[in-house]
Amino acid sequence: QVELVESGGGLVQLGGSLRLSCAASGSFFRINAMGWYRQAPGKQRELVATITAGGSTNYAASTEGRFTISRDNAKNTVYLQMNSLKPEDTAVYYCNADGLRSWSLASPFVSWGQGTQVTVSS
């Protein structure tokens, strides 16, 4: 079982900043890609940003250059720095990770965190 635990969400004013963290724990051989997704009320879950084990990043257009994803492989932790926050960024943010449970390529896993609420007030 691979567990992801998010932290860092909260209430912030328009234009403010937050940094989300997500730490992976449990039994696994390695983590490959990690990422952040979000879901606002009445909307589908959407990708925010992803990062590979090698550090390659991908961002949704909606971040408009305001967000930065990073990771600490030694700590099995991924971060999302969010600046210039807007009310439309309000959502539950979910951490995601995929990898291998063991050395075998026949042991892939995909794990999701419980989500952390981000609320941006105008």
Side-chain angles (χ1 to χ4, degrees):
Q1 183 178 351
V2 181
E3 182 180 20
L4 303 179
V5 179
E6 301 101 332
S7 62
L11 176 64
V12 66
Q13 292 181 302
L14 187 154
S17 298
L18 286 173
R19 191 177 83 145
L20 306 183
S21 299
C22 172
S25 62
S27 180
F28 55 86
F29 177 66
R30 66 168 294 164
I31 294 175
N32 294 324
M34 303 186 79
W36 291 94
Y37 296 72
R38 67 186 181 188
Q39 187 168 20
K43 293 186 176 181
Q44 298 293 313
R45 184 176 298 186
E46 64 176 358
L47 182 146
V48 177
T50 60
I51 184 168
T52 68
S56 297
T57 59
N58 181 59
Y59 296 91
S62 58
T63 66
E64 303 172 44
R66 300 172 296 121
F67 293 4
T68 301
I69 189 171
S70 61
R71 66 189 286 174
D72 185 334
N73 291 337
K75 297 181 179 179
N76 294 316
T77 300
V78 63
Y79 307 93
L80 184 67
Q81 179 67 46
M82 304 185 293
N83 300 321
S84 301
L85 284 164
K86 306 174 181 179
E88 49 263 46
D89 294 317
T90 296
V92 177
Y93 284 70
Y94 297 90
C95 178
N96 169 265
D98 68 79
L100 298 175
R101 294 188 181 277
S102 73
W103 56 267
S104 174
L105 295 179
S107 64
F109 74 85
V110 177
S111 184
W112 291 89
Q114 81 289 345
T116 184
Q117 178 70 48
V118 172
T119 302
V120 184
S121 62
S122 60

